[in-house]
Amino acid sequence: MPTTRDPAADLLHALLSRLKLRQLSLLQAIDRHRTLGRVAAEMRLSQPAITKALREVEDIFASKLFERTSRGLVPTPSGEAVLHYAGRWLAELEATTRVLTSLEAGRGGRLRLGLTQQVPQQLLSAALVHLLDRTPRMAVMTREGTTDELVAGLVARELDCAIGRSYDGDATGLVQEAIYQQEPCLVVAAKSVKRLSRGPLDWARLAQLDWILPPPNTPMRRTYNAIFVGAGVQPPVPMLETTSIRSMEMVLRTQPNAISILARDVVADMERAGHWAALPYRLNWNLPPVSFFTLKELEAHRMVKSLRDAVVEVAQGMQRTAG
């Protein structure tokens, strides 16, 4: 009696029994250089050896992974899929080596934390103190970026968790929890506050100023554009597009008509330096909430869960104080 074969099971068996990690590195090198000659030079092998190695990998996956074109070797749809997962597998392996190295050095483990620049200083301090004041001390890696960049880092297995704005995109396996609500305010150079705060809040007038806004196609830029449209005003063409607090501070200090929107508690931290200040207007909407991110598979991880609990506790205390 004939049996039903499962192609997926056969492919999995081939991968488990035949695939080697160096073959995944080879695929990444081909994708990076797009010519076998450059790959051969990087890996210090002959071009025929690289050609043979690629054929072996394609035989293991039972799929053609690259096509020769006028632009060099270009991944096929199967190649794109394999490269996507190869990157994740190798990233996980690199993360494992870092954790093992930190344990050998007497650390309590290693955690990779992503942060947006507009995370309140109190939350940032709480996160780092929680991780670094442990016995044995944790090894910690932090990376700053936009929420979109941090989510991409999580999905690529380059981060374990992150604190940023709520994410409105689609990311498989992402878990996010809103932990803190921030009030927005308009921020300008301290020396310009008196001049720019004359009269009632007028979005048409404000739109004529020199705006500093987040980059296009980010959640915060979409939020700000919606505010202008809701006020019946064309969103301004920004003078500067950035999420860098340092860049904002420099421009606000030197440009008398520069203006941006930031969280009021972030502005309060920076006002003490005396370079910028909030305009005395209350905005009748809230910023997307500060959220804690991780992946479903890491949600119950001891250190991720511990950090999440510590950050949430501090955020709740901050919210009660603000309220």
Side-chain angles (χ1 to χ4, degrees):
M1 184 175 178
T3 59
T4 302
R5 294 179 60 83
D6 182 354
D10 291 343
L11 178 57
L12 179 60
H13 176 74
L15 296 179
L16 292 174
S17 60
R18 299 174 58 194
L19 186 65
K20 299 177 177 62
L21 289 173
R22 67 173 179 270
Q23 292 170 318
L24 298 180
S25 295
L26 169 67
L27 295 180
Q28 287 190 322
I30 295 173
D31 185 47
R32 188 164 58 250
H33 294 296
R34 299 297 172 98
T35 68
L36 295 182
R38 291 177 183 172
V39 174
E42 177 185 307
M43 304 187 80
R44 299 182 180 179
L45 295 170
S46 68
Q47 188 166 326
I50 296 296
T51 300
K52 180 182 177 183
L54 175 58
R55 287 174 181 163
E56 289 175 351
V57 180
E58 291 183 323
D59 182 63
I60 292 171
F61 281 99
S63 297
K64 188 174 182 62
L65 302 181
F66 290 90
E67 288 182 335
R68 292 183 180 275
T69 72
S70 59
R71 296 176 287 116
L73 289 167
V74 176
T76 64
S78 295
E80 292 281 5
V82 171
L83 285 165
H84 173 71
Y85 286 104
R88 289 172 54 175
W89 295 331
L90 293 173
E92 291 279 18
L93 182 64
E94 192 270 343
T96 301
T97 63
R98 300 276 184 185
V99 170
L100 293 175
T101 302
S102 69
L103 291 171
E104 286 294 321
R107 302 296 190 197
R110 184 172 186 265
L111 190 131
R112 301 165 299 170
L113 173 64
L115 299 160
T116 62
Q117 287 214 358
Q118 292 198 37
V119 169
Q121 186 65 41
Q122 199 171 339
L123 276 184
L124 172 61
S125 298
L128 293 181
V129 167
H130 178 78
L131 294 171
L132 298 177
D133 278 8
R134 305 176 67 85
T135 304
R137 178 176 291 172
M138 291 284 294
V140 180
M141 183 207 81
T142 64
R143 178 194 296 179
E144 290 188 348
T146 65
T147 297
D148 287 359
E149 291 168 345
L150 298 183
V151 169
L154 285 165
V155 172
R157 305 311 194 264
E158 297 168 356
L159 295 172
D160 301 308
C161 52
I163 305 173
R165 296 282 179 206
S166 62
Y167 180 70
D168 59 2
D170 183 25
T172 303
L174 182 70
V175 177
Q176 63 175 312
E177 177 185 359
I179 61 173
Y180 182 67
Q181 191 70 60
Q182 288 179 304
E183 178 189 352
C185 68
L186 296 161
V187 58
V188 298
K191 59 188 177 184
S192 302
V193 168
K194 185 176 180 180
R195 174 173 57 86
L196 296 179
S197 60
R198 293 173 185 148
L201 178 63
D202 182 349
W203 287 100
R205 176 175 64 88
L206 293 175
Q208 303 305 311
L209 299 177
D210 297 327
W211 277 87
I212 304 170
L213 294 173
N217 300 317
T218 57
M220 291 310 302
R221 180 65 172 273
R222 292 192 288 272
T223 296
Y224 296 160
N225 284 347
I227 298 305
F228 282 101
V229 172
V233 177
Q234 180 70 23
V237 176
M239 171 180 62
L240 174 68
E241 294 172 302
T242 186
T243 58
S244 167
I245 295 293
R246 291 180 63 188
S247 296
M248 291 182 195
E249 182 177 11
M250 187 278 291
V251 173
L252 285 167
R253 194 184 331 157
T254 58
Q255 301 297 317
N257 287 327
I259 186 170
S260 189
I261 301 175
L262 289 172
R264 189 171 292 278
D265 49 11
V266 173
V267 173
D269 287 337
M270 304 301 295
E271 275 181 322
R272 299 184 186 98
H275 298 312
W276 58 3
L279 293 180
Y281 300 118
R282 288 285 173 177
L283 306 182
N284 60 354
W285 48 276
N286 284 323
L287 294 166
V290 175
S291 300
F292 186 87
F293 298 87
T294 189
L295 296 174
K296 187 68 176 176
E297 64 202 61
L298 293 174
E299 194 174 13
H301 186 282
R302 177 176 57 87
M303 280 312 306
V304 172
K305 186 176 184 302
S306 175
L307 177 61
R308 176 260 171 209
D309 291 345
V311 170
V312 167
E313 182 179 357
V314 172
Q316 289 175 340
M318 292 169 61
Q319 207 76 74
R320 285 193 296 270
T321 301

